[in-house]
Amino acid sequence: MAADLISPRQAARAIGVSESSLNRWCDRGLIATVRTAGGHRKLATSDVVDFVRTHQHRVVAPEVLGLPSTSTGADLGLTRGGPLLAEALLAGNEESARRIVFDLYLAKHSISAIGDAVIAQAFRVIGDRWACREADIYQERRGCEIILRILHELRHSQSVSSTAWPAIGATLSDDFYSLPLTMIEAVLQSVGFHAAMLGTSLPGESLVRAVHDLRPKLFFVSVSHIANEERFLADFAGLAEACRAAETTLVVGGRALTDRLRPQLAYSAFCDTLQQLEMFAASFIRAGRPRRRAQSSGRPKLRRKARR
Ligand code: B12
C-alpha cells in the first residue's frame, strides 16, 4: 500500500471532488486531519477510505489512497461477488480478485460479510470444482495465496489504535487452514483489536506459552481439520485452562467443531460465522473501553485536529 498520509489536494483527487469541498469536510470533522511539524494539514489514507465507505462516495483515483488501481467502490453485491471471485481465483487473475474484494469493501460491506458471503463462498465453489476434477490442486493453492495477499492489503488499509487490545490466534496441530485465521485477523482489526495470528498447526504447549507470555485480551482458535481427536481435546483443554488463568477470552469456530465435539470443550464463545464474531468482538470492546480509536500506531507523532 502507498503512503499513509496524504495532502487534502491528493485526497480531493482520489475522490474526484474539489479541494475546497474536501477542506470543508475536514473543517466539519467528517475526515480527521493531522498537522505536520511544519503546520501542513495531512489526512491518513485509512481515514479517507473510512469517509468514502460511510458517505458513499466513489473513488476515482484509488492509487492515491494505496488501493488497487481498478477499484471504484461500485457495488457488485455480495451474492454476485462469490461466483465472480471464484472465477477470478481459478483463472489466477489477481487484479480482478483484488478489484472484487476492494469494490465490495469500498461499497461499505463489512469485512466479515465479505468473508462469509463472498470469500468462503468462492472457496466452496473451488472445493466443489476440485472434488469434481474440474479444477486442479494448483488452482486451489494459487487461489489461497492470492486471497491471503489481498486480505493483508485490506488489513493494511485500516488504522489500528496504539492502545488497541491484543488478540492472537492459531490453529492446533495438523490443521493447515490459514484462510479463516487471516480473515479473523482482519475482522477483529476492523472492530478495533490489534489482531495477529500466530500461525497454523501449533502444538498445544506452544499455545499455552503464548497465552502466558503475551497475555492477549482475546484468543481465537479456528478448527477446520482434526487429525487426532484425542490429541486435539487434550491440547484444547490445556489452552482453555491457560486462557482461564490469564483471564483471556477464548473464541472458537470452524467447520470441524461439530455438535458432538463442542460440549467437550471449554471456551468463552463459539461462532459459526465471521459476522457473529464481529458482533461479539464489537460488543466486547464497547463494554470494556471508553473510546475506540486513537492515533494509529507506527505513524509519525502528529497532532490531530480537534473535531468541531
Ligand atoms: C483451501 C482448502 C484447503 C487448503 C487450505 C490452505 C490454506 N492456506 O488455508 C489445504 C491445501 C491445506 C487443504 C487441505 C486439505 N483439505 Co481442504 N479445502 C480447502 C477448501 C477449497 C477451502 C477451505 C477454506 O479455507 N475456505 C475459506 C474459509 C474462510 O471458509 P470456511 O472454512 O468455510 O470457514 C468459515 C466458517 O467456518 C468460519 N470460521 C472458520 N473458523 C473460524 C474460527 C472462528 C473463531 C470464527 C469466529 C469463525 C470461523 O468463518 C469462515 C467464513 O465464513 C475446502 C472447500 C470448501 N468447501 O470449503 C476444502 C475442504 C475443506 N478440504 C477437504 C479435504 C478433504 C482436505 C484434506 C483432508 C485433503 C487431503 N486428503 O489431504 C486436507 C487436510 C489438511 C489439513 N491437515 O489441514 C474437504 C473436507 C471434506 C470434509 N467433509 O471434511 C473440502 C470440503 C474439499 C472437498 N470438497 O472435499 N484444503
Side-chain angles (χ1 to χ4, degrees):
M1 285 280 157
D4 273 341
L5 290 173
I6 53 174
S7 66
R9 173 175 299 201
Q10 286 172 302
R13 186 160 74 80
I15 316 180
V17 295
S18 69
E19 202 178 333
S20 58
S21 301
L22 199 286
N23 276 319
R24 221 174 26 251
W25 294 330
C26 294
D27 291 342
R28 286 169 54 200
L30 298 177
I31 313 178
T33 59
V34 291
R35 294 259 173 208
T36 61
H40 297 290
R41 194 182 234 185
K42 294 277 180 192
L43 292 80
T45 50
S46 54
D47 287 332
V48 181
V49 170
D50 275 353
F51 173 80
V52 169
R53 297 185 72 224
T54 46
H55 293 81
Q56 271 126 42
H57 275 279
R58 295 291 280 269
V59 179
V60 299
E63 63 285 354
V64 177
L65 300 175
L67 299 171
S69 58
T70 46
S71 46
T72 61
D75 192 356
L76 294 168
L78 294 171
T79 320
R80 275 183 66 211
L84 286 174
L85 183 63
E87 293 313 322
L89 292 174
L90 283 167
N93 189 339
E94 182 155 351
E95 202 40 57
S96 170
R98 183 175 282 115
R99 182 175 43 74
I100 292 166
V101 172
F102 273 88
D103 273 351
L104 289 166
Y105 179 65
L106 287 174
K108 219 186 157 197
H109 295 290
S110 63
I111 295 181
S112 62
I114 297 171
D116 286 331
V118 179
I119 299 179
Q121 166 62 11
F123 277 94
R124 275 194 287 276
V125 171
I126 293 173
D128 291 347
R129 296 266 185 97
W130 169 78
C132 302
R133 297 177 193 276
E134 288 168 11
D136 204 282
I137 294 175
Y138 84 84
Q139 291 174 293
E140 178 205 286
R141 302 285 156 87
R142 182 176 62 183
C144 288
E145 295 305 321
I146 290 175
I147 219 67
L148 288 171
R149 281 194 288 276
I150 294 172
L151 284 168
H152 286 303
E153 289 169 16
L154 195 55
R155 231 184 115 198
H156 190 72
S157 71
Q158 304 173 323
S159 55
V160 190
S161 160
S162 52
T163 56
W165 277 336
I168 59 174
T171 67
L172 273 66
S173 295
D174 302 314
D175 181 338
F176 295 102
Y177 286 83
S178 58
L179 291 186
L181 287 180
T182 309
M183 288 194 214
I184 294 165
E185 262 185 342
V187 170
L188 289 176
Q189 182 169 310
S190 74
V191 298
F193 274 96
H194 189 290
M197 65 183 250
L198 300 173
T200 58
S201 189
L202 266 78
E205 318 82 73
S206 182
L207 295 179
V208 168
R209 276 196 297 277
V211 172
H212 183 264
D213 293 349
L214 307 173
R215 300 262 150 186
K217 200 77 182 167
L218 187 148
F219 197 105
F220 51 95
V221 176
S222 173
V223 190
S224 300
H225 181 80
I226 299 175
N228 178 331
E229 195 172 300
E230 207 178 317
R231 176 166 168 202
F232 168 79
L233 289 172
D235 282 356
F236 194 95
L239 172 65
E241 177 50 30
C243 287
R244 194 197 55 74
E247 297 185 1
T248 294
T249 296
L250 178 58
V251 185
V252 299
R255 63 172 66 241
L257 283 185
T258 56
D259 292 348
R260 182 182 63 77
L261 268 180
R262 283 209 305 277
Q264 303 176 57
L265 308 175
Y267 49 78
S268 317
F270 166 80
C271 302
D272 285 300
T273 64
L274 298 170
Q275 288 165 95
Q276 291 171 357
L277 173 70
E278 182 183 337
M279 282 188 75
F280 172 78
S283 58
F284 185 85
I285 287 205
R286 270 197 305 276
R289 42 172 39 197
R291 69 198 171 97
R292 195 188 127 190
R293 285 168 44 144
Q295 190 161 314
S296 311
S297 60
R299 291 218 181 105
K301 294 250 177 299
L302 295 161
R303 276 181 292 124
R304 235 166 220 272
K305 185 180 186 298
R307 291 180 189 229
R308 287 185 190 171

